[in-house]
Amino acid sequence: MKDVCALLVQACQLVHLDQEHLVSKVCQLIHHLLNRFQVMVDEQNLNFLLSYCISALKQCSSWTHVEILQALAALVYNNGPKCQKYLPDLLGKTGLLVQFSDSTQPDVELRRAAVRSMANLCLSVPGQPYLDESYRSVCFQTFLSVLQSSKTSDVDDITFCMLLQNALKGIQSLLNGGKMKLMQTDQIGSLLAVLKKCMFHGLPGLSIEVPAALYPAPLPQYDKRSPVKQEQSELAAFKQTGNRRKKSKGKQKKGEFGEEGREDLGDAGNESVLGADMLKLHLGNVQSSPYSDPRTRASDVAYVPAGKDRLSSHCTSWKRISSSESEYSDAEGGIQSKMRSYQANVRQGALACFLSAIKSIEKRVLYGYWSAFVPDAPGIGSPQSVSLMTIALKDPSPKTRACALQVLSAILEGSKQFLSVAEDANDHKRAFTPFSVTIASSIRELHRCLLLALVAESSSQTLTQIVKCLANLVSNAPYSRLKPGLLTRVWNQIKPYICHKDVNVRVSSLTLLGAIVSVQAPLPEVQLLLQQPSSSGLNNSGSATPHRFNASEQWRKAVPSEEEPTDNPAGCTSSEPCWLLRLCVSIVVLPREDSCSDSDANFPSFSSVYEPCPLRLESLQVLALLVKGYFSMAQSYFLELGEVACRCMEEMDPSIQLHGAKLLEELGTGVLQQYKPDSAVAPDQRVPVSVVVTFWTVILNGPLPGTLQNSPHATLQTSACDALSSILPEAFSSLQNDQQILCVTLLLGLNHSENPLVKAAAARALGVYILFPCLRQDVMFVADTANAILNSLHDKSPNVRAKAAWSLGNLTDTLIINMETMGQSFQEEFSDLLLLKMLRSATEASKDRDKVKSNAVRALGNVLHFLQPYHIANPRFREAIEESLQALISTVQSEATMKVRWNACYALGNVFKNPALPLGEAPWTTQAYSALSSVVKSCKNFKVRIKSAMALSIPSKRECYGSAEQFCQIWSALVVALQKSEDTEDFLEFKYSASLRTQICQALLHLLSLAKSTDLPVIWETITEHGNAIKSYVLQYLKSGVEENEAGVQTDLCERERVLKGATEHLSGIEKQLEGKARVRVSVYLEDVLTNHASATELTEA
């Protein structure tokens, strides 16, 4: 390589710039050798050669410039960062490349060579600084103006295509390498307009005029073509594509593949082999191809003409045939197909550039241009707008079609929020079409076009892209707001492709089915599709029917289970198993039948007995999604699916084991959801506990414990740990004793893992187990778990600490439950030392990051509630208690996230429940009340205000509130909070204002029912000042009836009245004792409120 550089330097030294003919030859040599040998030029030689070329450009005649620029392009290729000092000469205001690439440059070859050099300068080199901003914008503008220019009659078509291609590559480099963020509307609009123009460049039968810039708009922007012209071009396009699609497929595909091979020879020379392989794929075994489905295309009869063995001739000379059977003579045909190939390269370049642009534009900005690129249903009499789907349906090159689909996929990715506004309005009798209806019709049109493309496509790579694009659309469309039927069409049309010859098509078809069962699950439409008998939709597709469905229950035999589903008492809805479930299980567990394509060879599996690994992994993923979204459907096969998961975990391939563990976790979680207290599933529809016990017995006797103990793969251990934590508590208590001990021992052991992922999963699982009724009363288990969790709470990984804090919160919840159910026996047995350790660790954790903090404060509240008088009297505890209280108070006042502050308010409320703490006497009491009073008045988040009002209403005795001054401060704060309960800048908070008022009214009545004579003057003062406002809120509170407030406590109407009456009687008694010394009449005010309430109630009843 050094020899090449030395040779070139020597040649330049020998040739003086006045010997122009030789200069031209030397430059050709530089260009040829650097491209041929892919030489990396070192900096010293690069400097010399660049100086030579730049001087030559300045001094030599214009006829040499093209060759010099070609040499320059080869030199700067991937050397941009080393060319810094030459940039002013090349890209400055009067830089050479800027001049030569100017739109006024008459010599197109020269302009193209300059643009190419500029594009090569824009290539980024990893780890090296990128072009300065000023040079970037010069290049961007140059490339943009090239793309905006029109071809003049004197310019050769192919040269013009190459010029466009170089400019597109340049823009793509700027977007990718420069991590360029497109911000200004005019810049985005201009770029998208030229990309739209170029992505249709030379597309047969289509001539479109794109405006100079596109503007973001909520309504579709139609292409500016006269309807007459439009119809003619549409007709021409239809004839063109009609011919391409409808002629004998054997004939047509030859042309297409031939073209595709040549089309890419410039980029990579290995396309021809691929083309031949793909032909073999398409023509080799037509019988089992989904295209032989009579529903899809009757015209396919001509796919392989009878009586001729065309395959051999195709494989040997597919390239030659492509042009000889075309409509042109050989010479003319050669030029024509070369030009078509260059035009297709421009379209591909534009689409690749568009893909990079999508990554550089914020999604919400991009969706302003939705209507320019995504099809919308044409209005009556108006033409169909051209869009990415036009290319996907009509472009003759499969590679270009695939590129268009990739771009569409990228636009659809992450579009859930944008599409969520879509809605199918039934009445279209409006003067205008609402935006929601426009988007809904666009979604429908996308479904229609993609399904059309699916039926018409014959290139496997492009088919894969169509199916991936459909999967992206399905994942983001708001089906619950659209008329049903869309998913049914997708479902029915994708079924035959499950048995396609190409494994990639099969994998993406499964991905699409996975998207259908996971989108907004459970959807009634999908529920119906899953209940369809497995034969429907396949029986009329001839030999395309998946081979494995013939042996209808084969997988049942392949998966022995302890209990046949016929005995399964719960949820057995259909006699025939779900089609999708059977399909996926059979792909996972049944040996493959040897009818797989050559592309399977790319996927060596551990044992070639089974289907290719990607196919099995995708099937397992679909099963997991099916179990997650439609558990009621999957529960009939609960034990079988457990067996499938076990089999997968016994295999050698870690990725199959991992997906087996994930399936196991979904099965466990599905049962947990059914048994939740708020579950809508009737008890007789749930998986019976006895079946769940059988399930976990099999799992624990199977590969799960071994995986947890020995697996070298951390991700797999993590998943296995998550699976083990999804066991139903009622089933756990019925497991054999040694299996219960095994689970606990495994988790306690994994808590010492070196790997943070595994350690975090183990800490979380312990937090689940500590809530199991049969374990939480075991003091030894609670102590072991506490020690393990505290160990993880000091881990260096923030994720481990966050999970450990959550588990500590759960563990302290069980302390409270045990205290309430088992009384003192548990408290006395629990180690004081461990309790002190928990208090200190939780205090420390409350200063950690928010994810740890939110559960640390929850744990603090519980531990402080749990403490006994003898703990509080113990000097060793005193300092820890003081510190923990200060931590809680400062968290309430802090600027932490709302969840943290919410938990801190809740924790203080818990603290107030402990009668052993010196509430009202200790100095921290004042600080706690002051913090809560401040939050209840001014916190932006209403849920935090609700929790603080609740905490303020917890102390049960007047002395707990301390002095009259402190009591009155709390009272006044609550009155202010009540009046501010509707003031919010955030509309989302408004929905909590009724709950907030309910909580504040409860707190005020609670305070009134405890008030002493010394508190009355201030209470009376606020009543005289704000009496009317308070009265209206209290009346509303009394009227609002049975309402579930934030705490989940149900206070019925009579209860609310009773509290108010109680407070009135209490105050009336105190006021009588004062014997008129004070003119305070709070009780009279409250009686008035009660009277008003009674008369309002009578009116309503009347």
Side-chain angles (χ1 to χ4, degrees):
M1 294 302 169
K2 280 184 181 170
D3 297 350
V4 174
C5 294
L7 172 74
L8 293 174
V9 169
Q10 202 172 359
C12 291
Q13 285 168 340
L14 290 171
V15 175
H16 292 288
L17 297 179
D18 50 6
Q19 298 169 292
E20 292 188 346
H21 194 71
L22 289 176
V23 169
S24 156
K25 293 291 179 201
V26 164
C27 287
Q28 284 177 13
L29 188 67
I30 294 174
H31 175 225
H32 179 73
L33 289 179
L34 292 185
N35 279 344
R36 175 80 188 275
F37 296 112
Q38 302 291 308
V39 182
M40 282 301 292
V41 188
D42 60 285
E43 201 150 355
Q44 189 185 349
N45 288 329
L46 183 70
N47 283 336
F48 178 81
L49 293 168
L50 279 174
S51 303
Y52 183 83
C53 289
I54 290 169
S55 306
L57 282 172
K58 287 177 178 172
Q59 291 177 37
C60 297
S61 310
S62 58
W63 70 268
T64 61
H65 287 173
V66 172
E67 272 87 6
I68 301 170
L69 284 170
Q70 284 177 338
L72 185 73
L75 284 166
V76 299
Y77 184 79
N78 269 343
N79 284 323
K82 296 180 194 163
C83 304
Q84 290 300 323
K85 61 180 176 189
Y86 301 103
L87 292 179
D89 270 337
L90 297 170
L91 300 175
K93 277 217 163 60
T94 55
L96 292 163
L97 295 180
V98 176
Q99 286 176 36
F100 291 140
S101 61
D102 192 67
S103 53
T104 53
Q105 173 57 248
D107 183 347
V108 178
E109 273 296 346
L110 186 59
R111 191 178 180 199
R112 186 180 84 76
V115 170
R116 186 173 174 202
S117 298
M118 200 182 270
N120 283 358
L121 268 173
C122 292
L123 285 169
S124 68
V125 180
Q128 296 290 317
Y130 196 62
L131 274 182
D132 279 352
E133 185 54 50
S134 59
Y135 295 131
R136 280 186 228 181
S137 62
V138 166
C139 293
F140 185 78
Q141 274 318 121
T142 303
F143 298 141
L144 203 58
S145 63
V146 167
L147 295 172
Q148 284 165 340
S149 63
S150 303
K151 186 180 94 66
T152 49
S153 55
D154 58 331
V155 178
D156 170 36
D157 276 327
I158 289 181
T159 309
F160 188 65
C161 284
M162 289 161 87
L163 174 66
L164 293 178
Q165 226 180 317
N166 289 326
L168 287 165
K169 278 195 174 145
I171 287 188
Q172 198 181 352
S173 295
L174 284 171
L175 293 171
N176 293 350
K179 300 276 179 287
M180 184 173 169
K181 283 277 166 255
L182 295 166
M183 299 305 225
Q184 300 96 329
T185 307
D186 55 343
Q187 194 186 38
I188 296 172
S190 307
L191 176 63
L192 292 181
V194 292
L195 291 180
K196 182 164 184 179
K197 188 174 91 170
C198 292
M199 72 190 207
F200 292 108
H201 183 76
L203 189 62
L206 198 71
S207 60
I208 70 158
E209 287 173 36
V210 179
L214 296 175
Y215 297 98
L219 291 167
Q221 220 179 344
Y222 291 106
D223 299 294
K224 297 174 179 171
R225 295 184 281 174
S226 71
V228 181
K229 264 191 192 168
Q230 159 92 20
E231 275 174 29
Q232 287 167 352
S233 67
E234 285 277 329
L235 197 65
F238 175 72
K239 277 184 186 163
Q240 173 81 22
T241 50
N243 291 344
R244 179 169 78 77
R245 298 273 183 241
K246 289 218 171 94
K247 269 188 194 170
S248 146
K249 282 290 154 192
K251 234 182 201 175
Q252 188 57 38
K253 275 290 137 206
K254 294 188 296 268
E256 204 169 294
F257 274 103
E259 177 191 330
E260 187 67 356
R262 261 202 312 285
E263 186 176 280
D264 262 343
L265 288 178
D267 293 335
N270 56 2
E271 284 279 308
S272 53
V273 190
L274 185 67
D277 275 355
M278 283 166 73
L279 258 157
K280 215 183 294 176
L281 221 78
H282 284 292
L283 301 172
N285 188 345
V286 179
Q287 289 336 98
S288 64
S289 146
Y291 306 113
S292 53
D293 176 348
R295 281 174 313 140
T296 53
R297 274 192 305 209
S299 60
D300 273 2
V301 180
Y303 200 68
V304 175
K308 280 191 186 178
D309 176 16
R310 301 181 73 93
L311 183 61
S312 53
S313 67
H314 272 296
C315 291
T316 49
S317 59
W318 62 280
K319 243 172 128 177
R320 186 175 49 71
I321 295 173
S322 69
S323 56
S324 66
E325 283 199 9
S326 74
E327 298 153 32
Y328 308 103
S329 68
D330 278 0
E332 189 193 349
I335 294 164
Q336 284 286 348
S337 73
K338 186 177 181 186
M339 190 179 83
R340 284 205 304 267
S341 149
Y342 274 98
Q343 288 171 337
N345 279 345
V346 171
R347 298 197 293 275
Q348 286 161 29
L351 291 164
C353 200
F354 194 175
L355 204 52
S356 299
I358 289 170
K359 291 168 189 162
S360 312
I361 302 174
E362 259 189 278
K363 275 285 174 83
R364 62 188 179 80
V365 176
L366 177 71
Y367 292 136
Y369 301 92
W370 173 270
S371 57
F373 296 99
V374 180
D376 183 22
I380 298 166
S382 67
Q384 167 84 52
S385 58
V386 293
S387 67
L388 286 161
M389 275 316 305
T390 314
I391 303 172
L393 285 163
K394 298 185 176 179
D395 201 295
S397 145
K399 188 173 177 187
T400 315
R401 298 199 294 273
C403 287
L405 291 155
Q406 266 178 307
V407 173
L408 186 54
S409 259
I411 292 175
L412 287 170
E413 209 167 310
S415 60
K416 190 172 278 179
Q417 198 182 349
F418 170 69
L419 297 180
S420 67
V421 299
E423 193 157 17
D424 267 345
N426 289 323
D427 64 327
H428 283 295
K429 299 178 185 119
R430 302 189 200 184
F432 70 99
T433 307
F435 184 57
S436 57
V437 176
T438 306
I439 295 295
S441 79
S442 186
I443 293 172
R444 290 194 163 280
E445 186 62 6
L446 268 175
H447 280 79
R448 189 184 75 83
C449 291
L450 284 167
L451 290 176
L452 270 178
L454 184 73
V455 167
E457 190 51 68
S458 39
S459 146
S460 295
Q461 273 113 324
T462 313
L463 253 182
T464 306
Q465 286 303 334
I466 294 171
V467 182
K468 282 182 179 171
C469 198
L470 267 169
N472 246 339
L473 172 61
V474 167
S475 302
N476 290 289
Y479 293 100
S480 52
R481 295 167 62 93
L482 302 170
K483 288 178 197 161
L486 287 175
L487 286 171
T488 307
R489 267 171 245 143
V490 176
W491 176 272
N492 288 335
Q493 277 197 256
I494 201 62
K495 273 183 172 185
Y497 293 86
I498 299 294
C499 341
H500 195 272
K501 297 297 292 175
D502 186 288
V503 77
N504 291 314
V505 175
R506 295 171 72 193
V507 171
S508 50
S509 303
L510 282 169
T511 309
L512 173 54
L513 287 166
I516 292 175
V517 294
S518 61
V519 66
Q520 295 167 311
L523 284 173
E525 184 179 354
V526 177
Q527 199 107 33
L528 286 172
L529 289 171
L530 290 168
Q531 284 167 355
Q532 280 178 1
S534 56
S535 52
S536 76
L538 282 161
N539 50 4
N540 59 348
S541 58
S543 53
T545 306
H547 44 252
R548 48 171 61 89
F549 295 155
N550 304 341
S552 69
E553 292 298 285
Q554 198 182 341
W555 68 269
R556 291 251 171 180
K557 294 175 194 121
V559 181
S561 90
E562 301 204 0
E563 189 170 330
E564 280 302 305
T566 42
D567 310 333
N568 191 345
C572 227
T573 44
S574 65
S575 55
E576 203 173 344
C578 161
W579 170 78
L580 185 57
L581 194 135
R582 272 175 61 188
L583 169 78
C584 293
V585 172
S586 58
I587 289 174
V588 174
V589 302
L590 291 184
R592 78 199 242 162
E593 294 182 15
D594 283 331
S595 62
C596 295
S597 74
D598 298 346
S599 59
D600 289 356
N602 303 333
F603 305 111
S605 50
F606 281 92
S607 55
S608 54
V609 180
Y610 291 115
E611 292 285 4
C613 188
L615 202 58
R616 298 180 71 211
L617 290 176
E618 204 57 53
S619 296
L620 283 166
Q621 246 167 330
V622 174
L623 280 175
L625 292 168
L626 190 61
V627 169
K628 186 179 185 177
Y630 298 87
F631 187 73
S632 58
M633 188 73 62
Q635 73 182 65
S636 320
Y637 313 99
F638 186 65
L639 293 175
E640 281 88 346
L641 289 170
E643 190 73 39
V644 171
C646 267
R647 278 190 172 206
C648 291
M649 290 180 73
E650 281 163 354
E651 286 192 31
M652 295 298 293
D653 184 341
S655 52
I656 297 275
Q657 291 176 302
L658 177 67
H659 281 76
K662 291 220 184 290
L663 175 58
L664 193 55
E665 185 192 350
E666 289 300 351
L667 287 164
T669 309
V671 175
L672 281 175
Q673 298 291 345
Q674 285 194 336
Y675 279 85
K676 270 189 170 173
D678 55 353
S679 165
V681 183
D684 61 333
Q685 292 299 307
R686 298 173 187 174
V687 179
V689 176
S690 60
V691 174
V692 185
V693 174
T694 307
F695 174 87
W696 282 106
T697 305
V698 171
I699 301 295
L700 291 168
N701 287 333
L704 186 68
T707 305
L708 284 165
Q709 283 165 306
N710 310 321
S711 174
H713 303 281
T715 327
L716 177 55
Q717 271 188 313
T718 305
S719 268
C721 220
D722 291 340
L724 194 59
S725 68
S726 69
I727 188 166
L728 183 72
E730 292 89 325
F732 184 86
S733 56
S734 303
L735 285 174
Q736 289 172 358
N737 204 25
D738 57 340
Q739 288 193 317
Q740 290 186 12
I741 292 167
L742 174 68
C743 293
V744 171
T745 314
L746 283 169
L747 292 178
L748 288 169
L750 286 172
N751 203 69
H752 298 290
S753 168
E754 294 293 307
N755 187 290
L757 282 173
V758 179
K759 194 168 184 176
R764 183 192 162 277
L766 285 171
V768 171
Y769 275 47
I770 197 71
L771 296 171
F772 287 5
C774 63
L775 288 177
R776 69 167 179 239
Q777 296 180 356
D778 179 341
V779 178
M780 287 306 293
F781 172 71
V782 176
D784 287 344
T785 303
N787 280 313
I789 289 170
L790 292 178
N791 162 289
S792 292
L793 199 57
H794 297 114
D795 196 85
K796 63 177 186 289
S797 155
N799 187 34
V800 173
R801 296 200 302 276
K803 294 283 192 280
W806 178 80
S807 294
L808 184 64
N810 284 4
L811 184 130
T812 54
D813 283 346
T814 63
L815 294 185
I816 302 298
I817 295 168
N818 286 343
M819 176 175 87
E820 288 164 357
T821 53
M822 297 167 71
Q824 282 213 310
S825 64
F826 183 84
Q827 283 162 308
E828 284 162 8
E829 273 186 69
F830 197 76
S831 153
D832 292 357
L833 200 61
L834 185 54
L835 202 58
L836 183 60
K837 199 171 159 190
M838 283 164 72
L839 197 56
R840 285 184 176 146
S841 293
T843 306
E844 198 54 43
S846 72
K847 298 171 186 135
D848 202 332
R849 54 181 67 195
D850 282 356
K851 276 190 173 175
V852 181
K853 198 183 280 189
S854 65
N855 283 302
V857 293
R858 173 165 77 104
L860 278 179
N862 282 329
V863 175
L864 289 166
H865 179 189
F866 182 80
L867 294 176
Q868 297 308 295
Y870 64 87
H871 292 131
I872 293 160
N874 185 334
R876 291 172 67 189
F877 270 85
R878 198 166 297 144
E879 191 188 343
I881 291 172
E882 184 61 39
E883 276 183 24
S884 59
L885 284 161
Q886 289 305 327
L888 280 181
I889 292 162
S890 63
T891 307
V892 169
Q893 293 169 313
S894 72
E895 287 302 306
T897 57
M898 296 310 161
K899 186 179 176 185
V900 173
R901 297 176 73 185
W902 187 92
N903 271 349
C905 293
Y906 178 79
L908 275 179
N910 249 339
V911 173
F912 296 164
K913 289 178 186 170
N914 189 344
L917 286 167
L919 198 56
E921 300 160 23
W924 59 261
T925 313
T926 313
Q927 294 168 294
Y929 286 138
S930 158
L932 290 168
S933 303
S934 160
V935 166
V936 82
K937 286 187 292 190
S938 61
C939 183
K940 284 181 188 160
N941 185 291
F942 276 23
K943 287 169 93 173
V944 176
R945 289 197 206 181
I946 290 167
K947 271 286 170 269
S948 57
M950 194 180 286
L952 287 170
S953 63
I954 282 174
S956 54
K957 296 182 179 146
R958 170 60 189 82
E959 47 271 28
C960 294
Y961 287 100
S963 66
E965 186 189 358
Q966 188 165 288
F967 182 88
C968 295
Q969 277 172 352
I970 296 169
W971 165 266
S972 304
L974 285 165
V975 170
V976 172
L978 188 61
Q979 290 171 298
K980 285 176 145 189
S981 62
E982 287 176 16
D983 301 352
T984 173
E985 293 165 18
D986 187 351
F987 181 70
L988 292 173
E989 292 302 320
F990 200 72
K991 61 182 175 188
Y992 299 114
S993 62
S995 294
L996 175 60
R997 283 195 292 280
T998 299
Q999 201 53 59
I1000 295 173
C1001 288
Q1002 276 175 9
L1004 286 171
L1005 293 179
H1006 176 71
L1007 289 178
L1008 287 173
S1009 61
L1010 297 177
K1012 294 195 301 193
S1013 54
T1014 46
D1015 306 323
L1016 292 183
V1018 173
I1019 293 175
W1020 182 244
E1021 199 181 311
T1022 49
I1023 283 174
T1024 41
E1025 223 176 302
H1026 310 289
N1028 287 338
I1030 297 173
K1031 184 177 181 177
S1032 68
Y1033 285 127
V1034 174
L1035 282 170
Q1036 196 182 351
Y1037 164 71
L1038 292 171
K1039 197 179 92 182
S1040 61
V1042 181
E1043 183 179 313
E1044 191 119 33
N1045 58 26
E1046 254 292 304
V1049 180
Q1050 281 204 334
T1051 336
D1052 64 28
L1053 202 53
C1054 309
E1055 171 66 12
R1056 291 180 183 192
E1057 276 182 47
R1058 199 176 56 71
V1059 172
L1060 181 54
K1061 279 178 184 160
T1064 312
E1065 285 162 16
H1066 166 75
L1067 291 171
S1068 173
I1070 292 176
E1071 286 166 356
K1072 275 181 189 150
Q1073 282 174 1
L1074 291 171
E1075 294 169 355
K1077 285 179 198 165
R1079 288 190 312 257
V1080 175
R1081 284 285 168 268
V1082 180
S1083 58
V1084 175
Y1085 170 81
L1086 292 179
E1087 277 163 9
D1088 180 41
V1089 172
L1090 269 169
T1091 314
N1092 273 12
H1093 172 63
S1095 56
T1097 314
E1098 280 165 23
L1099 273 172
T1100 333
E1101 285 169 359

